[in-house]
Amino acid sequence: MQGSRVRLLAVVALGTLLVTSGCLTTDPAVELNTTESTVFAGAATDGAVAVGQVNTKLRLVPNATTDEGVDRISVIAPNGETFHRTTLDSGQSSASVLLPPDGSATVVAANTVNGTVVETRNATVTGDSLR
């Protein structure tokens, strides 16, 4: 009796989470063109399921935060609003960011000290979306 009640509560909690958080994406993957990039070396998703956002690890080129001065990465959603923002320390070689769960986003590497955008790349998130 106790086990079935716990399962029922878990199912209700999961259903509520799915309804209130947007969409569920299974097997999420991210495509980020890094050809001739002065900032980005690659990208990979973290996890087999994403709810409302996709955890992504960006690998940076070795001198992105030193020579290029990148100290912030922003993710811009298709509607033009900032979806996620993270700051970087000098010498940092990777960054964890959140991407929208379906479609595309713009990843912006900036130097906030001198107020410049160092590089902009489009990221495409794929996977099986359940709404």
Side-chain angles (χ1 to χ4, degrees), residues 39-51:
V39 176
F40 303 106
T45 58
D46 181 22
V49 177
V51 180

Side-chain angles (χ1 to χ4, degrees), residues 2 9 15 39 43-45 65-66 74 80 82 88 92 94 104 110 119 125 128 130:
Q2 184 70 15
L9 288 173
V39 176
T45 58
T65 59
T66 53
S74 299
T82 300
L88 304 174
Q92 194 167 331
S94 65
S104 63
E119 188 169 293
V125 176
D128 298 320
L130 306 172

Side-chain angles (χ1 to χ4, degrees), residues 52-57 74-76 83-86 95-101 105 107 125:
Q53 59 196 19
V54 177
N55 293 327
T56 303
K57 183 175 183 178
S74 299
V75 176
I76 310 301
F83 187 82
H84 181 79
R85 181 180 297 151
T86 190
S96 294
V97 298
L98 302 175
L99 296 176
V107 181
V125 176

